Amino acid sequence: METLPCQGCKGLCCGPVPITKFELKKIQKKLKSMPRKTRESLENQQRLFGTCIFYDLDKDQCGIHAARPEICRDFGYYTDLVCFRKPELATKSRTLRKEKPIGHLSIDFTWKDF
């Protein structure tokens, strides 16, 4: 599968991100295992309003990539989640999630919640 050209976007399409209760727990576990220095660096970055709080601007990539929510994994490959830099990759149709989101990262869940 071809990959998205995420480098250079600075997380502009990353947020607000809806998350489920399961995804919240997965993120919390990831953050607990993260080195304190890495976490603090990520937490102290100044992002545009609405950009995911876990987008690492210094590295220009997701700061919790292994624990990223389903919608982030789907982005760019589904017709309702098109990447503006590579729209031709969005060829699949998504089925609705079974679990309802409990909120959005950067809006309902901020660093104070972690």
Side-chain angles (χ1 to χ4, degrees):
M1 180 187 298
E2 197 173 348
T3 59
L4 296 173
C6 294
Q7 295 294 304
C9 290
K10 297 293 183 193
L12 293 176
C13 53
C14 297
V17 178
I19 61 168
T20 64
K21 189 175 186 178
F22 172 77
E23 291 168 336
L24 176 64
K25 289 179 187 222
K26 196 172 163 184
I27 292 167
Q28 289 170 328
K29 184 177 178 182
K30 171 73 175 173
L31 291 173
K32 283 182 182 178
S33 71
M34 188 179 283
R36 194 184 92 227
K37 187 176 178 180
T38 303
R39 179 189 160 113
E40 287 174 356
S41 171
L42 194 58
E43 185 176 354
N44 293 322
Q45 293 177 20
Q46 297 297 308
R47 295 170 190 81
L48 294 173
F49 178 76
T51 300
C52 180
I53 61 174
F54 299 118
Y55 192 83
D56 189 332
L57 289 167
D58 294 338
K59 294 180 181 172
D60 199 17
Q61 63 188 19
C62 179
I64 58 164
H65 192 265
R68 70 193 186 283
E70 179 184 335
I71 196 162
C72 301
R73 294 171 191 276
D74 291 350
F75 184 80
Y77 301 105
Y78 291 84
T79 55
D80 62 332
L81 296 169
V82 179
C83 171
F84 73 94
R85 292 176 75 188
K86 213 147 193 195
E88 67 274 11
L89 294 181
T91 59
K92 302 177 185 178
S93 294
R94 254 181 356 130
T95 55
L96 294 177
R97 295 173 152 187
K98 292 176 184 149
E99 192 178 351
K100 291 216 178 237
I102 56 170
H104 293 79
L105 294 176
S106 304
I107 295 174
D108 304 305
F109 297 99
T110 61
W111 275 104
K112 67 177 176 47
D113 298 300
F114 296 96

